[in-house]
Amino acid sequence: MKFGAIIVAGGHGVRAGGEIPKQYSLLCGRPVIRWSAEAFAVAGAAEIVIACSPDHADLCRSATVDVLGVRSVSGGATRTASVRQALAALGDVDAVLVHDAARPGLSVSLVHALIAELEAGAAAVAPALPAPDTLRRADASGRILEDVAREGVMRMQTPQAFHTEVLRSAYAALAVGASMSDDIAVVRMNGVDAKLIKGDAKLMKLTYPEDMAMLERMLGAERIICVGQGVDAHRFGEGSFVTLCGVQIPHSKGLVGHSDADAGWHALVDAILGALGEGDIGAHFPPSDPQWKGADSERFLRHAVELAERAGARIVHVDVTLLCERPKIGPYRDAMRARTAEVLGLPLGRVSIKATTTERMGFLGREEGLAAQATATVERSA
Ligand code: MG
């Protein structure tokens, strides 16, 4: 049976602070979307149409470069609209498998099992797993409204497989602008019976930040803990405030630097880059480049978070120590922690900000400038 695949990758789901949608993040060193595209290619798909956001066309192209039979179309505003666009672009195939990019744990054997069901006469077939937990309906405040019978309740996965004409007819009959949660729902609206086969735990949908690490473990990849360190110092000069860890502190002097001279966050950026093996802040934001003059260091910290995201790494904990006689850091420490935690997308308990003096010794003791040290603990693939 000649079959084609549609991969829906229109989502903008990003982790706090990041700019890369999860389908283009690296999972065990390969972009998430590439896992599914390669599985379809190896399983023998005649063509693979990816519906992606026009904003991410370049990311999509580079993530799937050299995968046989892949091309991309612009997705729509909803999942349903994206499948409609991809279906219109799909060539002449007997069967079509529609899959979510956020489910990279696709095996070739599952693709073959779905095709076998279609060949045996099913019009539509999808993988699903039982719901092992007790189910209850609750309102937004957590108040339980009712028990839900678990018996026979199935968690639907993708890819969902159809005879091409069955899916094309169902989409033709579906109201323009209708939004359905999956494609089995679309064909069932059109009166088609669908069959379920046993799903695969590895087909879990990447939803929460911790899912990436969980799936890597399921796929058998080794995860390691890396600790990076960073050091920075800036000279005092004219001014009425200093910026440290994103917080402005009134002072009789300012800090001299090409950017906003936030030594705390600069040390932290170097610590994160160190844990990722990504060089130092100067390599990413050269002081010779005029665009970083006076730059808010939040830009640098968000870049480091985004690099971690792209590498499928997880920042676990950070610790920053500020070294200066003055200004006094204590009154601003909580605000610094809160700002840093916000940009990193971490709970407060995983962000430490400390301060110390050098007992009036050395350049810090003479108040010629201030310095910072930081460590970042990062969990990543080996
Ligand atoms: Mg600096």
Side-chain angles (χ1 to χ4, degrees):
M1 186 176 263
K2 186 180 177 187
F3 73 95
I6 290 172
I7 302 178
V8 188
H12 282 73
V14 294
R15 211 187 292 184
E19 285 165 20
I20 300 291
K22 62 192 170 201
Q23 58 269 36
Y24 306 112
S25 295
L26 295 185
L27 177 76
C28 307
R30 275 191 288 165
V32 163
I33 192 169
R34 190 179 180 92
W35 284 77
S36 306
E38 285 185 346
F40 281 127
V42 172
E47 52 180 316
I48 301 163
V49 179
I50 299 176
C52 70
S53 159
D55 301 344
H56 303 133
D58 289 343
L59 276 175
C60 183
R61 204 170 302 122
S62 65
T64 55
V65 70
D66 296 336
V67 180
L68 214 61
V70 165
R71 65 206 161 88
S72 65
V73 297
S74 286
T78 63
R79 186 187 188 286
T80 306
S82 291
V83 176
R84 206 191 277 276
Q85 307 272 45
L87 204 49
L90 192 72
D92 185 22
V93 286
D94 304 314
V96 54
L97 279 71
V98 186
H99 186 50
D100 297 327
R103 298 182 189 271
L106 176 62
S107 67
V108 172
S109 60
L110 184 79
V111 173
H112 288 162
L114 291 163
I115 297 292
E117 291 292 339
L118 294 180
E119 285 174 338
V125 56
L129 287 174
D133 301 318
T134 297
L135 301 177
R136 293 205 168 87
R137 197 178 314 281
D139 65 16
S141 73
R143 193 170 63 95
I144 293 172
L145 303 176
E146 60 175 339
D147 288 10
V148 175
R150 186 180 68 190
E151 211 181 343
V153 171
M154 300 298 282
R155 296 182 290 132
M156 299 297 297
Q157 298 183 322
T158 71
Q160 299 182 347
F162 309 88
H163 285 282
T164 307
E165 276 321 304
V166 167
L167 192 61
R168 285 199 198 279
S169 309
Y171 268 87
L174 188 69
V176 174
S179 176
M180 312 291 282
S181 66
D182 70 357
D183 298 283
I184 292 293
V186 176
V187 298
R188 278 173 51 77
M189 283 268 288
N190 207 32
V192 174
D193 274 336
K195 180 174 182 180
L196 299 183
I197 63 168
K198 188 173 181 299
D200 185 344
K202 293 193 196 72
L203 268 178
M204 65 181 278
K205 190 173 191 173
L206 295 172
T207 307
Y208 304 107
E210 57 270 28
D211 290 350
M212 198 74 117
M214 194 192 302
L215 187 55
E216 285 204 332
R217 282 192 290 271
M218 287 168 83
L219 294 171
E222 189 190 355
R223 299 282 296 182
I224 55 173
I225 297 286
C226 295
V227 178
Q229 59 141 355
V231 175
D232 193 32
H234 281 272
R235 189 181 291 276
F236 282 126
E238 292 286 300
S240 58
F241 68 89
V242 298
T243 303
L244 290 170
C245 295
V247 175
Q248 282 194 1
I249 302 175
H251 192 43
S252 55
K253 302 165 183 174
L255 285 172
V256 181
H258 193 69
S259 66
D260 63 5
D262 186 335
W265 273 2
H266 291 182
L268 180 53
V269 168
D270 261 357
I272 295 169
L273 295 177
L276 297 172
E278 282 281 358
D280 59 33
I281 191 170
H284 291 263
F285 303 99
S288 55
D289 188 336
Q291 70 167 309
W292 309 123
K293 187 163 174 54
D296 184 338
S297 295
E298 180 176 338
R299 173 79 186 72
F300 307 155
L301 191 53
R302 287 199 183 275
H303 176 73
V305 170
E306 190 184 320
L307 285 176
E309 167 89 12
R310 272 171 108 147
R314 193 167 65 97
I315 299 169
V316 176
H317 175 264
V318 300
D319 185 17
V320 179
T321 303
L322 300 166
L323 298 113
C324 59
E325 298 291 336
R326 288 185 307 157
K328 289 297 164 210
I329 301 301
Y332 303 94
R333 210 166 68 97
D334 287 348
M336 291 179 184
R337 270 184 98 193
R339 279 291 288 132
T340 306
E342 181 197 342
V343 175
L344 296 176
L346 283 181
L348 267 188
R350 295 184 180 209
V351 176
S352 163
I353 309 269
K354 315 194 298 296
T356 188
T357 71
T358 55
E359 296 283 340
R360 298 237 150 250
M361 292 180 289
F363 74 93
L364 297 167
R366 292 189 297 272
E367 298 190 41
E368 292 169 17
L370 58 73
Q373 295 185 338
T375 58
T377 305
V378 170
E379 187 202 9
R380 45 169 267 205
S381 52

